Amino acid sequence: MTLIEWFFFFLILQIVHFLGTWKLYQRAGRKAWEAAVPVYNAVILMKIINRPWWWVILMFIPIVNLIIIPVIWVETIRSFGRNSVAETWAVVLTLGFYIYYVNYATSDPYIVDRDLKPRTEMGEWISSILFAVIAATIVHTYFMQPFTIPTSSLEKTLLVGDFLFVSKFHYGARVPETAVAFPMVHDTIPVLGIKSYLNKPQIPYFRFPGFENIERNDIVVFNWPVDTVSKFFDRSSNHYVKPVDKKSNYVKRAVGLPGDSLAVKDGYVYINNERLQLPERAKPQYLYIGQTKGQPFNPRALYEMYGITDGYGYDQSSNRFTITLTEEAYERFKNHPNVASIERYIGPGGVRNNGLFPNNGKLKWSNDNFGPIHIPEKGETVQLTPESMPFYRRIIEVYEGREMGQEQKISLNGTQVLINGKPSSEYTFKQNYYWMMGDNRHNSEDSRSWGYVPENHVVGKPVFIWLSWDSNASGFNKIRWDRVFTTVKGDGEPTSFLPYFLILVVIYFGWKFFKKRREES
């Protein structure tokens, strides 16, 4: 739905509200016209049902409003003596229209000093749970979201089993695109395994102002632009049709920013013809191929001595092996007594590759020799040619077309590029784009495979590791205590703030204990 469509929808709701409540407003000692004024009528209604004015704000927060509005329906009829379980279910199941019956067919007086405490223990539990879910949903959607690292694409900066807090406010929190969804889950309801949202109606894209922009080398959580993970899809489309905010969450490093020129040469990233300088904590890994002196390696020894977490491949018939190493680990591992030879694998260019962006099978690129490509910037105008069209097709048709509520079909007539059948020699981008890559260069599905990440797909910034669970190839599980309560960004080795946190906890409970003892004496 567009902003104009949402505006008319809002006006219709105001008419529905006025027709169903104006007599109730009068019974409560208010004027009938007060039920007709948008927003003001909600403030007055909160006074009628003896609830705080800030509940009005909750009514306008997507997903949260799906919880609070039925609560307000129930509170409204109870303010006029309708307390039975049957009537509670009636007002919820009729989507509030039972209030029309109370408004026109009853004459119950308004209860001025209604007791707001639930009458049963079950009611008290339900009330507590509802508001706990509301608070958690607001925090989850607009401030901080928990996230787990599922793959090794960012080893050794973020490890498989790291549990993170992802800040939504650093880059600015997005208003959810999905207007109707199950709270605090992503695209699937756990256990039930069913879709957690409705595709329509959708809220136009809006992002609150953040206090920083994405900087080069920032680690970013974003919605995977070409999501094909979910089983819920439109079979008539080449790609699964999911709202942007319900696409799968990915985490990568932003190596290319809007306006950059990017290339990969022999596995190293170059930005604007200069080799990318990674932060100190980033330890990129590369694939190495070698041959042993006749024996396989012990996985536990590889993990403990060289920090090898990706495992390794071994062919016993030829004694050849493949292994993923940082450059520092390689310098030590090449002297392993069982290593006969080892060299870094570099994927050569010059061979057509259908699996790399722009996925047209015509460019002779590899993961290690890729580009150059240009990263689009908002407001920038580029020339559309048969050569450039494959790079910008998905941007025009999907990211700035279908996902923004516009139909934009790009095609080629000879050497002339057409948009919706009209000749177009240039195109101006409506948003910024980013190039996201993993530090594990040969074990990361990233922008080299599927291209640009639109700005409206950005979820947030990982800021804090609150737990790290190590389930490694050596066959035992343990907590990585040195990573618990550490920051994601920073120089040098991560420092755990867990001891300081525990000291504060002890001080707090000690203070509470002595305060209670003093009051009792």
Side-chain angles (χ1 to χ4, degrees):
M1 292 174 65
T2 65
L3 286 173
I4 294 177
E5 289 171 333
W6 275 108
F7 176 73
F8 281 111
F9 177 69
F10 177 72
L11 289 183
I12 291 171
L13 288 182
Q14 300 307 306
I15 295 172
V16 170
H17 175 78
F18 171 74
L19 294 176
T21 61
W22 65 274
K23 284 192 173 184
L24 299 182
Y25 275 66
Q26 286 183 323
R27 282 193 231 169
R30 309 299 304 196
K31 302 294 184 182
W33 62 264
E34 291 182 296
V37 182
V39 182
Y40 175 75
N41 54 11
V43 174
I44 298 303
L45 182 60
M46 294 307 107
K47 293 182 179 181
I48 292 173
I49 65 176
N50 291 322
R51 293 300 183 178
W53 65 269
W54 49 263
W55 276 31
V56 176
I57 298 175
L58 301 181
M59 295 170 63
F60 290 91
I61 299 177
I63 309 304
V64 170
N65 54 15
L66 300 179
I67 303 172
I68 197 65
I69 289 176
V71 172
I72 292 173
W73 294 337
V74 172
E75 293 289 290
T76 299
I77 63 171
R78 287 183 176 177
S79 294
F80 294 89
R82 300 284 165 164
N83 297 302
S84 69
V85 174
E87 288 182 296
T88 298
W89 279 110
V91 74
V92 172
L93 295 178
T94 61
L95 301 181
F97 280 98
Y98 183 75
I99 296 175
Y100 273 67
Y101 168 79
V102 179
N103 186 60
Y104 290 106
T106 71
S107 57
D108 301 293
Y110 170 62
I111 303 173
V112 178
D113 297 318
R114 179 173 63 95
D115 185 6
L116 300 182
K117 186 177 180 179
R119 298 189 175 188
T120 65
E121 186 175 346
M122 177 63 70
E124 193 165 342
W125 271 99
I126 292 174
S127 178
S128 298
I129 291 172
L130 284 176
F131 281 94
V133 171
I134 288 173
T137 301
I138 292 173
V139 172
H140 183 275
T141 305
Y142 298 98
F143 296 96
M144 200 73 69
Q145 176 181 345
F147 186 83
T148 307
I149 298 297
T151 68
S152 61
S153 68
L154 278 170
E155 301 261 341
K156 302 294 184 182
T157 304
L158 294 178
L159 307 181
V160 175
D162 279 350
F163 291 80
L164 311 174
F165 284 133
V166 176
S167 165
K168 299 292 187 72
F169 54 84
H170 274 74
Y171 303 137
R174 293 180 307 182
V175 172
E177 181 178 330
T178 48
V180 181
F182 197 85
M184 293 181 59
V185 300
H186 197 54
D187 61 344
T188 307
I189 298 177
V191 181
L192 298 179
I194 60 176
K195 192 169 74 170
S196 65
Y197 62 93
L198 299 180
N199 283 76
K200 293 183 178 180
Q202 293 184 0
I203 301 170
Y205 170 69
F206 176 78
R207 185 183 293 275
F208 290 99
F211 61 83
E212 67 179 50
N213 296 319
I214 295 177
E215 298 177 353
R216 194 178 319 285
N217 289 323
D218 274 0
I219 295 176
V220 180
V221 174
F222 57 92
N223 297 115
W224 187 28
V226 294
D227 186 5
T228 56
V229 170
S230 174
K231 64 183 178 182
F232 309 110
F233 62 92
D234 182 350
R235 294 182 183 272
S236 66
S237 174
N238 292 326
H239 298 276
Y240 296 124
V241 179
K242 297 172 70 176
V244 169
D245 59 328
K246 293 302 178 183
K247 293 182 179 182
S248 299
N249 288 327
Y250 267 36
V251 57
K252 306 289 180 186
R253 190 182 298 280
V255 297
L257 302 181
D260 282 345
S261 174
L262 178 144
V264 182
K265 302 175 184 179
D266 292 338
Y268 298 109
V269 177
Y270 286 78
I271 302 294
N272 303 325
N273 297 318
E274 294 185 5
R275 183 170 164 178
L276 176 67
Q277 299 300 312
L278 291 169
E280 186 178 353
R281 286 191 187 178
K283 297 179 176 64
Q285 296 192 129
Y286 300 94
L287 181 66
Y288 289 82
I289 299 176
Q291 192 162 11
T292 71
K293 294 179 180 180
Q295 297 295 325
F297 297 106
N298 183 312
R300 181 163 184 167
L302 293 179
Y303 171 76
E304 294 180 346
M305 296 177 63
Y306 303 98
I308 296 171
T309 51
D310 263 11
Y312 78 102
Y314 183 70
D315 180 7
Q316 195 164 3
S317 62
S318 63
N319 294 326
R320 290 179 63 83
F321 67 89
T322 57
I323 199 164
T324 303
L325 300 166
T326 64
E327 292 178 326
E328 182 272 334
Y330 161 73
E331 291 298 326
R332 294 188 293 115
F333 184 71
K334 68 182 181 180
N335 297 317
H336 191 288
N338 191 35
V339 172
S341 63
I342 186 172
E343 63 180 8
R344 195 178 122 204
Y345 171 79
I346 299 176
V351 179
R352 296 183 189 275
N353 194 326
N354 293 325
L356 293 179
F357 181 77
N359 312 102
N360 62 352
K362 296 181 179 180
L363 297 172
K364 299 179 179 181
W365 293 351
S366 71
N367 273 325
D368 291 318
N369 287 279
F370 181 96
I373 57 112
H374 177 75
I375 304 172
E377 183 176 16
K378 181 178 180 179
E380 177 186 13
T381 299
V382 295
Q383 298 300 308
L384 289 182
T385 66
E387 292 73 29
S388 67
M389 189 182 80
F391 293 91
Y392 306 129
R393 175 189 290 275
R394 187 166 176 83
I395 287 178
I396 294 171
E397 291 187 339
V398 180
Y399 306 146
E400 300 190 359
R402 186 184 70 224
E403 292 181 349
M404 287 190 174
Q406 300 181 19
E407 194 63 37
Q408 295 188 153
K409 185 70 176 177
I410 189 170
S411 58
L412 194 63
N413 182 16
T415 59
Q416 178 67 62
V417 177
L418 310 176
I419 298 180
N420 292 339
K422 298 179 180 179
S424 301
S425 60
E426 59 183 28
Y427 184 81
T428 301
F429 299 106
K430 300 172 185 174
Q431 62 179 322
N432 288 320
Y433 292 84
Y434 300 88
W435 195 262
M436 305 290 187
M437 289 178 61
D439 292 349
N440 201 347
R441 294 289 194 249
H442 292 98
N443 191 12
S444 174
E445 185 180 14
D446 52 35
S447 284
R448 290 170 294 180
S449 297
W450 31 259
Y452 310 110
V453 174
E455 186 172 32
N456 67 349
H457 283 56
V458 172
V459 174
K461 180 177 183 175
V463 292
F464 193 70
I465 300 171
W466 61 272
L467 179 65
S468 185
W469 183 254
D470 186 2
S471 179
N472 54 66
S474 60
F476 63 92
N477 300 322
K478 62 180 181 180
I479 295 175
R480 303 184 186 100
W481 289 105
D482 60 326
R483 296 184 64 81
V484 175
F485 277 55
T486 59
T487 58
V488 173
K489 191 174 182 179
D491 297 325
E493 292 298 318
T495 300
S496 175
F497 291 93
L498 180 60
Y500 306 102
F501 172 76
L502 294 177
I503 291 171
L504 290 175
V505 170
V506 171
I507 292 173
Y508 173 76
F509 282 103
W511 174 77
K512 292 275 289 185
F513 174 77
F514 286 111
K515 181 182 178 183
K516 183 177 180 181
R517 290 284 299 272
R518 188 182 301 113
E519 290 174 350
E520 289 176 350
S521 61

